[in-house]
Amino acid sequence: MRIGQQPGGHGFAGSSRAGASRAGDTQSGDAVSDTTASAPAESAPRRALALFMAYVALTKPRVIELLLVTTIPAMLLADRGQVQPMLILTTLFGGMLAAASANSLNMVADADIDKVMARTAKRPLARGAMPVSHAFVFGVTLGVISFFWLWLTTNLLSGVLAVVTICFYIFVYTLVLKRRTSQNVVWGGAAGCMPVMIGWSAVTGTIGWQAVVMFMVIFLWTPPHTWALMLRYKEDYQAANVPMLPAVASETKVTKHIVLYAWATVAATLALTPGSGIIYAVVAVASGIWFLVVAHRLYAGVRAGTPVRPLKLFILSNEYLALVFCGLAVDSVIGWDTLAQLLG
């Protein structure tokens, strides 16, 4: 298999010239003086904006998108046939704060290896955009706010689940599993499954079987999704001595595991059909077939030794999960009889 590299980067260059003649007219001297005095004032807003954007990047906003994709459908399913906009908005805000906290603290813990890997070398702490201590305080503060926000606007269970998610992601995945086992993504992915639990508990105050199934859908989806990306950047993880499966195993073994987990993911989506309607069932089956076809093509290409594009599966897996949960959301809002009701 040949996986191509796409080099890229940004460079910044600048130069400044300043000078003033001892013997010059007053107007020329004033002009130089005014320019010199205004330079710091002009650069201050830019520095402030750059720092603000660095803190935004610290939260990994693109990763937080998964929160929106999974939390809303979970809440709609929990209150099937009903929509509570304010509850959804307050839960999403609290969940976003929790995810931002976990992501920020993850960057604090991974600052050393982020400097080594080309894919992460431009992250805020890797390039020294702010002190590590400031990032740590920022992450902890977001976590504390998320707990109290969810407690006060939804219920205590949702706030506790948010704190458990942050602690698991940092102390179990980042500090223990990530640098010690090739199964890190498998077990560490549990943190990314928690938004459906938080969403469900915000509506019901409990954790129902449907929430557990949704948790398993994301849990089983995470390895093939992540491994597809890591196949593309496995040299980065090898350089950083992080034992992600694609960095320590053959591409044949990795893609075989991707296929197995893809099948398990699709099976988990179908396990949710008794608690949902016909719309979700059709979407889950159709999108599941699509997901499996692409996973098998990747595996077949690797075995045949032909050029493949693992990033295609990575991108498609995002679209697949979005389709499944959007189908669930639409099905829940319409509120037709569930398959269990129709067959019962």
Side-chain angles (χ1 to χ4, degrees), residues 34-322:
D34 290 344
T35 302
T36 304
S38 62
E42 292 175 352
S43 61
R46 295 178 183 176
R47 290 198 301 270
L49 178 60
L51 183 60
F52 172 77
M53 294 307 297
Y55 275 102
V56 171
L58 201 65
T59 67
K60 300 181 184 178
R62 293 183 65 181
V63 176
I64 296 178
E65 292 174 5
L66 178 64
L67 168 76
L68 303 177
V69 172
T70 59
T71 304
I72 295 176
M75 297 183 72
L76 294 174
L77 180 61
D79 197 14
R80 190 171 173 79
Q82 304 293 325
V83 179
Q84 301 183 53
M86 285 307 301
L87 180 60
I88 291 175
L89 289 175
T90 55
T91 304
L92 285 178
F93 183 69
M96 288 174 63
L97 289 175
S101 169
N103 292 334
S104 300
L105 294 173
N106 169 260
M107 280 205 195
V108 170
D110 281 348
D112 58 333
I113 60 175
D114 282 348
K115 296 176 182 178
V116 178
M117 300 193 297
R119 186 175 68 88
T120 58
K122 293 179 182 177
R123 286 180 174 175
L125 294 178
R127 56 185 172 84
M130 78 276 290
V132 173
S133 59
H134 291 190
F136 175 77
V137 172
F138 175 69
V140 172
T141 301
L142 289 176
V144 171
I145 295 174
S146 71
F147 168 72
F148 284 104
W149 175 269
L150 288 171
W151 183 12
L152 295 174
T153 61
T154 59
N155 52 58
L156 179 59
L157 178 59
S158 297
V160 170
L161 288 174
V163 173
V164 169
T165 302
I166 296 170
C167 292
F168 182 89
Y169 188 56
I170 300 305
F171 295 108
V172 178
Y173 170 67
T174 305
L175 296 179
V176 177
L177 296 175
K178 185 172 183 177
R179 307 193 193 197
R180 289 175 172 82
T181 173
S182 61
Q183 296 299 302
N184 44 23
V185 168
V186 175
W187 302 107
C193 311
M194 293 301 289
V196 295
M197 294 286 198
I198 295 172
W200 185 279
S201 68
V203 175
T204 66
T206 62
I207 298 176
W209 71 266
Q210 299 95 324
V212 175
V213 173
M214 287 186 285
F215 178 98
M216 290 305 302
V217 168
I218 304 170
F219 181 81
L220 295 167
W221 166 88
T222 300
H225 166 74
T226 309
W227 287 335
L229 176 66
M230 292 174 180
L231 276 171
R232 172 67 173 78
Y233 295 103
K234 64 180 181 179
E235 291 83 4
D236 272 2
Y237 292 100
Q238 290 169 344
N241 198 29
V242 177
M244 296 295 183
L245 186 63
V248 299
S250 68
E251 292 165 354
T252 301
K253 180 177 180 180
V254 174
T255 51
K256 180 179 180 180
H257 278 71
I258 285 176
V259 169
L260 293 175
Y261 273 95
W263 274 98
T265 302
V266 173
T269 64
L270 298 180
L272 193 59
T273 53
S276 58
I278 189 66
I279 294 176
Y280 170 76
V282 170
V283 171
V285 171
S287 60
I289 293 173
W290 178 43
F291 185 41
L292 290 173
V293 167
V294 176
H296 274 278
R297 283 179 178 173
L298 177 63
Y299 179 49
V302 169
R303 293 187 64 188
T306 58
V308 295
R309 294 185 298 166
L311 282 184
K312 181 178 180 180
L313 178 63
F314 171 75
I315 295 170
L316 179 141
S317 63
N318 277 323
E319 297 170 350
Y320 164 70
L321 192 71

